[in-house]
Amino acid sequence: MRKSTRLSSIGLRQVSEPVKSFRTRFSLTSFAKRVQRLTEEQRSAISRTGFGYLLSVPNQSLNKVFLTEVIEAWNCERRAFEVGSGEISMSLLDVALILGLPVVGNPVVLEEEPFSDWEELYGAARGKRKVTMASLEARLDSLGEIVSDDFVRTFLLYTIGTFLSSNDGKVDSRYLSFLGNLDNVSRFSWGAAVVEDLCQWLDKRKENNVQYVGGCLIFLQTWSYEHFDIARPYLQDHDLTFPRVCRWDNKSNQRQRGTSRFKDLHDDQVIWKLQPTAGELQIQIIKEALELLGDNKELQRAEKCASSASTSTYQVPGVDSELQLSISSKVCGEE
């Protein structure tokens, strides 16, 4: 993919009025380092739970100046961001494209249920029902290269606490009720849970004027890059990158020198609805999201792409399946 060299004129304007900053402990650094230590067998075990795409996410930093203004545009009542002449929400297709998480299945709702044996086993107290990231890291260290249900469950809880539902170095122990039977983990709508958790943090910020913001802020940042032509970094030099959180090069900060208030965004700087690429249309998670949303047009395009990819016309001898998908996707996109 060719890198864009056009700078956003809005992105370079000076902010006339300061906006309230926020603080957070969200960071992908520890998660990325932990992923690097996984064996292939451990990666395979995690992938079977529906969390596999997260293992490809590189370490990225937050642009807090940019995110502060995104957060300021949040409307609690509408559950949407007010931009340009309209408003835009975080959709299930968005989270499927950006994080590669399942969005179809049973809801992930933390209810007031009795304290469980799982919670006690993983170090939570009855009163607070929290597990610290430090204790989960120590548990993973002790397990080493072991591939067991305990390892997978510990890593998933660690992923929720550091990546998907970050909250001041702790994770709600009630998530363990969804991790008891690992065969059922992929049957929950984890993508929807990420969006709902983030919405609750944004509501707290606007309604109660709280300074601390948790949740999956890297999703919010990538979502903003995908939808708004403002303060974007460069795209990675890849033909196909999934999930989309992987495709933005946050090390290139040429376009992050400043932002303007979102009320100054023009409509032509807003992508109101993300469109899956030909390659993304062949991914099961994206197909399920489109089916859930009733997007029949995109589903028909996915079927067309899948049919094209399976014909001998686009089969190239001597290449692996991943490269073959890339070639077929390009051909399908050109039709």
Side-chain angles (χ1 to χ4, degrees):
M1 183 177 293
R2 182 173 61 86
K3 293 183 178 180
S4 172
T5 57
R6 183 175 63 85
L7 294 180
S8 167
S9 59
I10 295 292
L12 297 180
R13 288 179 58 183
Q14 297 296 318
V15 178
S16 58
E17 298 179 6
V19 294
K20 298 171 290 184
S21 63
F22 70 94
R23 64 180 182 86
T24 185
R25 288 188 61 177
F26 180 90
S27 173
L28 283 180
T29 302
S30 60
F31 176 80
K33 290 181 178 178
R34 180 64 60 178
V35 168
Q36 291 177 353
R37 298 167 59 179
L38 297 176
T39 66
E40 287 302 316
E41 292 78 10
Q42 289 175 328
R43 287 173 176 266
S44 296
I46 294 165
S47 295
R48 287 192 290 270
T49 67
F51 280 58
Y53 284 115
L54 298 180
L55 301 182
S56 62
V57 178
N59 185 24
Q60 300 184 29
S61 59
L62 296 178
N63 181 348
K64 290 186 66 177
V65 174
F66 173 60
L67 278 177
T68 296
E69 297 206 2
V70 175
I71 292 172
E72 286 299 306
W74 180 250
N75 184 310
C76 300
E77 293 183 358
R78 304 290 296 177
R79 280 287 177 104
F81 297 93
E82 297 177 333
V83 293
S85 62
E87 59 186 32
I88 183 170
S89 302
M90 297 176 288
S91 74
L92 294 181
L93 179 59
D94 288 342
V95 72
L97 287 169
I98 292 171
L99 296 182
L101 284 173
V103 296
V104 175
N106 298 320
V108 179
V109 180
L110 300 180
E111 299 178 335
E112 292 299 328
E113 53 192 17
F115 189 76
S116 68
D117 293 339
W118 285 117
E119 293 176 274
E120 184 174 3
L121 179 63
Y122 281 81
R126 290 181 178 273
K128 296 184 178 180
R129 305 187 82 163
K130 300 288 183 182
V131 180
T132 65
M133 294 300 99
S135 67
L136 292 175
E137 288 178 338
R139 194 180 188 98
L140 289 171
D141 288 339
S142 67
L143 290 169
E145 296 185 356
I146 293 175
V147 182
S148 63
D149 285 358
D150 184 24
F151 159 75
V152 175
R153 192 174 293 111
T154 303
F155 187 87
L156 294 183
L157 190 61
Y158 175 78
T159 301
I160 294 170
T162 57
F163 195 145
L164 303 182
S165 182
S166 176
N167 184 10
D168 205 18
K170 301 179 182 66
V171 61
D172 197 309
S173 60
R174 289 176 294 174
Y175 280 113
L176 284 164
S177 64
F178 303 97
L179 307 179
N181 185 342
L182 296 178
D183 292 335
N184 292 333
V185 172
S186 62
R187 299 174 184 174
F188 290 99
S189 179
W190 293 100
V194 168
V195 173
E196 177 59 28
D197 180 67
L198 187 55
C199 287
Q200 291 181 14
W201 280 107
L202 295 176
D203 287 345
K204 291 178 184 178
R205 164 76 170 179
K206 292 303 291 284
E207 293 178 341
N208 303 324
N209 197 30
V210 298
Q211 189 176 16
Y212 186 86
V213 179
C216 189
L217 292 179
I218 200 66
F219 164 71
L220 178 59
Q221 178 168 282
T222 307
W223 179 87
S224 302
Y225 292 159
E226 292 284 340
H227 283 279
F228 310 131
D229 184 13
I230 180 173
R232 284 170 166 170
Y234 290 133
L235 286 169
Q236 295 279 11
D237 191 15
H238 298 307
D239 289 328
L240 284 175
T241 303
F242 185 84
R244 292 192 182 188
V245 67
C246 300
R247 74 177 191 162
W248 291 98
D249 184 7
N250 279 313
K251 294 180 181 179
S252 63
N253 59 2
Q254 290 90 338
R255 302 188 69 186
Q256 298 186 26
R257 286 174 284 179
T259 63
S260 77
R261 294 184 64 86
F262 266 62
K263 68 178 182 180
D264 296 329
L265 270 174
H266 304 302
D267 284 355
D268 61 1
Q269 291 178 288
V270 180
I271 299 175
W272 300 100
K273 180 181 178 182
L274 300 186
Q275 299 293 336
T277 64
E280 289 167 341
L281 285 172
Q282 299 181 53
I283 298 173
Q284 186 61 29
I285 287 175
I286 303 305
K287 291 181 181 179
E288 292 173 350
L290 292 172
E291 184 176 357
L292 178 67
L293 298 173
D295 198 332
N296 296 324
K297 181 178 179 181
E298 290 293 352
L299 283 171
Q300 291 172 2
R301 189 159 72 96
E303 292 175 359
K304 178 182 177 182
C305 291
S307 176
S308 298
S310 64
T311 62
S312 59
T313 305
Y314 305 133
Q315 297 299 311
V316 180
V319 302
D320 58 24
S321 58
E322 183 175 354
L323 182 56
Q324 183 66 61
L325 173 61
S326 175
I327 295 170
S328 301
S329 299
K330 287 181 181 178
V331 174
C332 178
E334 294 170 356
E335 291 183 339

